[in-house]
Amino acid sequence: MTTAELLDAALVEEATKKSGLIWVRGASGTERALWHVWHEGAAVVVGDGPGEQPFPDLVDGGPATVTVRSKDKGGRLVGWRATAVPLDPGTQEWEAAVGELKGKRLNAPDAETMPQRWARECRVLRLEPVRGAQVLPAPEGDLAAPPLPSSATTRDAVPAGLPRLLGRRKKS
């Protein structure tokens, strides 16, 4: 590898490790925010099962484009191309990846049996950086998009009196 490729690989790894959320675009072109873990040279994600994040457009062995955001500012840090590699339950790779994912999964209703549920009902994918042209140039224009519909919403309507309460707090 050339020096530039090594620097690009280091940038991809460090930025992705520090970010708790990545934006992934699969075969259909739809971008989706996914929580992940950086493990052994790739971003590892779990989903496509009940109660987990959906990523239906990530095809096993197919291409993906990953955009990494800044953890503190939320803006785009780096983009890179990846290959979605499925991990088969029960393999040593799967066990190691799930061990890392389990520690990062928040608010799981079944923390003790979560790996067994993932093996039965979910997919675990490694988003492996493609060698060569890893770092993508920043796209032009505004990248803002409305959130995709999901059953995973937890936000209710703002209570009617909340703005008044917050306004009082600022004045005192």
Side-chain angles (χ1 to χ4, degrees):
M1 287 181 102
T2 67
T3 303
E5 289 174 337
L6 288 172
L7 290 173
D8 284 352
L11 173 62
V12 165
E13 181 174 346
E14 282 304 309
T16 309
K17 272 184 188 178
K18 292 182 189 271
S19 180
L21 189 67
I22 55 177
W23 289 90
V24 180
R25 184 175 57 236
S28 72
T30 303
E31 282 194 295
R32 191 172 292 274
L34 301 175
W35 69 272
H36 71 287
V37 171
W38 185 267
H39 179 67
E40 295 182 0
V44 182
V45 295
V46 62
D48 275 356
E52 299 298 339
Q53 57 193 355
F55 45 79
D57 58 339
L58 286 178
V59 179
D60 293 353
T65 303
V66 178
T67 302
V68 181
R69 71 181 183 105
S70 166
K71 192 170 186 171
D72 58 344
K73 302 287 185 191
R76 180 189 185 277
L77 279 180
V78 67
W80 48 278
R81 295 190 202 294
T83 302
V85 178
L87 297 179
D88 295 323
T91 63
Q92 191 173 15
E93 282 182 318
W94 188 88
E95 294 291 337
V98 165
E100 292 291 321
L101 285 164
K102 183 179 176 187
K104 298 289 185 178
R105 174 63 163 92
L106 302 177
N107 303 323
D110 58 345
E112 295 304 316
T113 60
M114 190 168 39
Q116 292 84 10
R117 179 173 55 86
W118 286 349
R120 282 189 320 269
E121 303 170 354
C122 298
R123 290 193 306 156
V124 177
L125 296 176
R126 283 177 50 87
L127 299 175
E128 297 179 350
V130 173
R131 297 285 177 226
Q134 287 182 329
V135 175
L136 300 174
E140 296 294 323
D142 185 9
L143 299 178
L148 296 171
S150 170
S151 62
T153 59
T154 57
R155 190 166 192 190
D156 294 327
V158 175
L162 184 62
R164 194 171 58 243
L165 289 172
L166 292 175
R168 259 191 236 151
R169 186 176 295 161
K170 288 180 183 177
K171 291 178 185 175
S172 47

